[in-house]
Amino acid sequence: MILRLQSNIQFIYELALARMELRSFAVSFRVRNSLRSFSADGTADTSTLKHRLAYCEKIDDDFTDYYFIQKYNQTRSVNQYLTHWIYPYKGKYHPQMIRSLLNIIRLKQGETVLDPFIGSGTTAVEAQLLGISCIGLDVSPLCVLISKVKTESIYVLEEIKNLRSSIAPNKVVSAQSDMLRGQSWDLIEDEKVRNFYNIAEMIAHSDESRRKRDFVKSFYENIDKMVESVNDYRNASKELGLKLGDVNIIEGDARSLDIPNNSVDGIITSPPYSIALNYVQNDAHSLKALGYNLDKIKGDFIGVRGSGFEKFKLYNSDMSKCFKEMYRVLKPNKFCIIVIGNVTYQGEEINTTGVTIDSCKKAGFQFLEKVDKIIFGLYNVMQKEYILIFRKEIEGE
Ligand SMILES: C[S@@+](CC[C@H](N)C(=O)[O-])C[C@H]1O[C@@H](n2cnc3c(N)ncnc32)[C@H](O)[C@@H]1O
């Protein structure tokens, strides 16, 4: 049997993850000379591989589900398919990598993955597509909204479409600006529909403040693109016969999780990279438009508090609380994956990755592996990040 890699695969870490995926499905294989395909013996369960693999596009003559999923894309960016693109959130991780990590930690349909720093909801969408349940938590009310809209709008598509035809024609009318900017969505009874329109407004705020685009024009363009993306989501799941996983998005603090001990089957997350991004300032326009007082909510964001080197101390002690909580809620013998990078402060590289490994070990995790990953993009300040794999040891071992 020949398994061919997706044509967008370019990096060593992707080949490494592709191999780890195959191993997790107990496939015995060898990498062929081109490095773009594997040959495997005929005993592998091809139907599971076809349904789950992230880095292969073809198994013999059959395309994988993921090959088709990526085609449902309203953007020009290969990995912003389905609802992934919704809201220009800084610091998203790569959906394809998350799909492969869900495979690598062997999560099955109906099991639960936790992402205590859900951000824009990447883990939630990828788990949902594989029929894996997801608990996603974030301290930012904006992230909670974005993640809900990406995963819940599919259940209210008709209601969303009905409202779209009644709100306004698709043209620029500056008088509409005031109407759209207000909290007029409060009148929408259904929470999922209300969230959808709220996020469409937030994207327009972001487009206006970051890209200097016309607010009303951006609102209508985005809303139509969002409707098409949710439509794509529905079509993809119908055509591929996907059984979507349950998603539970919660506003909360990762330092103190309201989740029972030993209850989740896996953790995949990417916490703030120390002080690299100020998540309050980044989304200030949207958080303000949602009616939040930035000074008030700032206190609970990790990596934002304090000044100078004090920031790092606070970050480390906050994260050590989070790792203890992650350890507490994970079932024994299950895996926890953390994606993180080092920041440079006043010309000095701060070893956030090393501190993370030590802190996780102190929390009780066994450190298994570190995969180096390039951060690709011309304007990125950081060039590299790491995928850290831990396991909660079986008690008594
Ligand atoms: C690196 S981002 C996660 C991005 C996410 N992986 C994605 O693909 O969009 C880190 C997130 O941690 C959140 N955060 C910061 N402090 C937190 C806390 N105390 N509890 C939970 N989330 C927090 C931030 O709001 C931000 O969304």
Side-chain angles (χ1 to χ4, degrees):
M1 174 170 51
I2 304 293
L3 297 103
R4 204 171 71 208
L5 281 177
Q6 300 255 9
S7 54
N8 67 325
I9 303 302
Q10 303 171 52
F11 301 117
I12 292 173
Y13 88 90
E14 294 174 304
L15 185 59
L17 294 182
R19 287 167 42 134
M20 288 163 83
E21 262 194 313
L22 290 176
R23 276 195 211 115
S24 75
F25 290 112
V27 179
S28 55
F29 64 90
R30 76 177 174 80
V31 183
R32 299 173 89 208
N33 285 343
S34 63
L35 298 184
R36 297 216 66 87
S37 59
F38 304 98
S39 58
D41 66 25
T43 58
D45 171 1
T46 35
S47 121
T48 304
L49 295 178
K50 194 171 154 283
H51 173 56
R52 302 254 334 203
L53 290 181
Y55 286 115
C56 289
E57 72 174 22
K58 245 181 164 188
I59 302 175
D60 288 334
D61 290 333
D62 285 339
F63 286 104
T64 56
D65 282 7
Y66 192 66
Y67 169 83
F68 291 113
I69 286 172
Q70 281 182 309
K71 304 264 176 232
Y72 291 91
N73 191 337
Q74 299 292 327
T75 76
R76 276 179 295 180
S77 167
V78 190
N79 54 59
Q80 293 300 292
Y81 50 88
L82 298 177
T83 52
H84 275 303
W85 70 270
I86 293 175
Y87 197 86
Y89 182 77
K90 273 196 196 163
K92 278 182 192 177
Y93 52 20
H94 209 288
Q96 189 170 26
M97 171 182 83
I98 299 309
R99 187 176 176 95
S100 83
L101 295 176
L102 287 162
N103 287 332
I104 289 165
I105 63 171
R106 297 174 210 144
L107 285 180
K108 299 191 193 78
Q109 273 202 356
E111 291 188 327
T112 302
V113 64
L114 165 71
D115 185 343
F117 301 96
I118 193 71
S120 65
T122 314
T123 310
V125 173
E126 288 306 313
Q128 187 177 39
L129 285 168
L130 287 172
I132 295 164
S133 302
C134 176
I135 303 175
L137 187 114
D138 207 286
V139 75
S140 160
L142 174 68
C143 290
V144 168
L145 263 187
I146 300 170
S147 303
K148 283 187 170 189
V149 167
K150 287 185 181 181
T151 52
E152 294 180 350
S153 301
I154 185 173
Y155 302 113
V156 287
L157 181 58
E158 294 320 315
E159 292 87 330
I160 288 171
K161 279 184 181 166
N162 290 343
L163 192 62
R164 168 67 185 95
S165 45
S166 70
I167 51 169
N170 188 358
K171 62 182 180 190
V172 186
V173 184
S174 56
Q176 285 175 357
S177 175
D178 292 339
M179 184 274 282
L180 293 175
R181 276 172 214 268
Q183 294 294 319
S184 47
W185 315 120
D186 287 354
L187 297 173
I188 304 174
E189 244 176 69
D190 187 295
E191 192 206 324
K192 296 184 177 73
V193 181
R194 188 164 66 239
N195 290 344
F196 181 92
Y197 281 91
N198 237 325
I199 284 299
E201 184 193 327
M202 295 312 130
I203 303 177
H205 283 295
S206 172
D207 281 352
E208 181 182 55
S209 88
R210 288 192 193 146
R211 297 162 68 194
K212 310 289 167 232
R213 292 194 56 204
D214 179 85
F215 178 81
V216 176
K217 198 172 170 205
S218 155
F219 174 79
Y220 285 112
E221 277 172 12
N222 283 313
I223 216 153
D224 290 340
K225 197 164 138 192
M226 283 170 75
V227 169
E228 282 312 309
S229 304
V230 178
N231 213 16
D232 280 351
Y233 207 146
R234 184 174 275 188
N235 290 339
S237 41
K238 245 196 221 157
E239 277 155 34
L240 296 166
L242 306 180
K243 185 188 173 306
L244 298 183
D246 296 333
V247 176
N248 183 11
I249 304 293
I250 307 165
E251 187 177 325
D253 190 331
R255 291 171 297 181
S256 144
L257 299 172
D258 189 10
I259 298 174
N261 295 351
N262 306 316
S263 63
V264 302
D265 301 285
I267 298 177
I268 298 179
T269 197
S270 164
Y273 290 14
S274 181
I275 62 161
L277 278 179
N278 184 328
Y279 291 98
V280 184
Q281 236 159 47
N282 262 348
D283 295 308
H285 45 275
S286 293
L287 286 164
K288 274 193 212 150
L290 287 169
Y292 291 96
N293 176 330
L294 302 192
D295 288 332
K296 250 194 186 162
I297 61 170
K298 195 170 129 184
D300 290 330
F301 278 72
I302 295 173
V304 173
R305 291 178 299 122
S307 58
F309 277 98
E310 184 202 6
K311 271 193 173 182
F312 294 101
K313 262 193 167 170
L314 285 169
Y315 172 84
N316 292 341
S317 85
D318 281 343
M319 285 311 300
S320 127
K321 288 182 194 150
C322 298
F323 297 141
K324 284 184 189 143
E325 280 294 83
M326 284 154 66
Y327 184 83
R328 178 181 67 75
V329 301
L330 186 62
K331 288 182 186 168
N333 206 22
K334 298 288 184 178
F335 298 92
C336 165
I337 298 194
I338 297 171
V339 181
I340 192 122
N342 295 340
V343 280
T344 300
Y345 184 68
Q346 296 181 349
E348 200 186 312
E349 184 171 343
I350 310 286
N351 186 10
T352 317
T353 310
V355 173
T356 301
I357 296 173
D358 290 344
S359 192
C360 283
K361 281 188 188 164
K362 270 198 198 125
F365 284 110
Q366 180 191 12
F367 175 50
L368 300 179
E369 198 156 350
K370 174 175 160 198
V371 180
D372 288 30
K373 175 185 173 298
I374 184 173
I375 303 181
F376 188 61
L378 209 52
Y379 302 106
N380 283 328
V381 182
M382 292 168 88
Q383 314 283 309
K384 221 177 182 187
E385 57 193 349
Y386 303 92
I387 302 166
L388 308 177
I389 307 180
F390 300 91
R391 191 174 61 168
K392 177 166 174 173
E393 289 189 299
I394 305 169
E395 271 149 33
E397 271 197 2

